[in-house]
Amino acid sequence: MRDEPYQDHGRQMTARHADEAVEAFRKGLSCSQAIISVYGKDLGLDPGTAVKIASAFGAGVAKSGEICGAVSGALMVLGLSQKPEDIRDASSREKVYAQARRFVGEFAARNASVHCTELVGYDLSDPKQFAEAKEKKAFATRCSKIVRDAGEILEELLAS
């Protein structure tokens, strides 16, 4: 595991954040909450507020099986990484969009999809399949790797 620090607007992060995010997920946060609460704190976001912001994004956005919560959380972090004075600047938005496309592309390359249903292997919008996924520990076995991948890709982007 790499442990070099990187700088973001004067704050220092390390590759260990991916480990922290996985641990937060294993302790009960959703994948989106785990990503944004760990990475957001270095960008000025209170972890409690981060958990609230990301609360609707788990299991592919409110158990719909759509975009993976770890992806959603990482995209939120990319937005947080922007300087406040750049929020309305079109070229700054394009930079965030480019980073987001890079993130999504790399994540899909590693995992073959960004959709939670495809990643977990169950139709999460179907309550019976969602229950089966929980019963068979599909989230515990598959999502830790997904959270780690999201964290590692996010760290690479934030360092560039």
Side-chain angles (χ1 to χ4, degrees), residues 17-144:
H17 280 46
D19 294 333
E20 290 176 51
V22 170
E23 186 60 25
F25 173 75
R26 287 182 178 153
K27 287 183 176 178
L29 292 184
S30 72
C31 47
S32 58
Q33 291 171 321
I35 292 289
I36 196 170
S37 67
V38 169
Y39 290 91
K41 67 186 172 193
D42 290 327
L43 298 167
L45 183 62
D46 170 70
T49 301
V51 168
K52 289 181 195 178
I53 290 169
S55 64
F57 292 89
V61 183
K63 294 183 179 178
S64 69
E66 294 298 327
I67 190 166
C68 169
V71 172
S72 296
L75 296 177
M76 287 185 257
V77 171
L78 289 175
L80 278 170
S81 72
Q82 301 310 294
K83 296 177 185 174
E85 62 270 18
D86 290 343
I87 306 172
R88 290 187 171 84
D89 178 62
S91 65
S92 293
R93 270 195 307 273
E94 287 303 320
K95 178 184 173 194
V96 174
Y97 293 161
Q99 284 183 314
R101 286 189 301 270
R102 282 181 55 203
F103 179 90
V104 169
E106 177 64 26
F107 186 90
R110 289 187 187 195
N111 295 286
S113 181
V114 295
H115 296 280
C116 197
T117 289
E118 294 170 8
L119 295 167
V120 177
Y122 292 87
D123 179 355
L124 301 177
S125 66
D126 177 338
K128 288 180 182 177
Q129 286 196 42
F130 185 87
E132 184 179 343
K134 284 186 78 168
E135 177 187 317
K136 294 193 175 182
K137 301 189 185 319
F139 300 110
T141 58
R142 297 180 184 171
C143 296
S144 291

Side-chain angles (χ1 to χ4, degrees), residues 5-25:
Y6 62 85
Q7 294 290 323
D8 184 78
H9 305 304
R11 290 171 288 277
Q12 192 175 72
M13 298 182 203
T14 68
R16 292 182 194 261
H17 280 46
D19 294 333
E20 290 176 51
V22 170
E23 186 60 25
F25 173 75

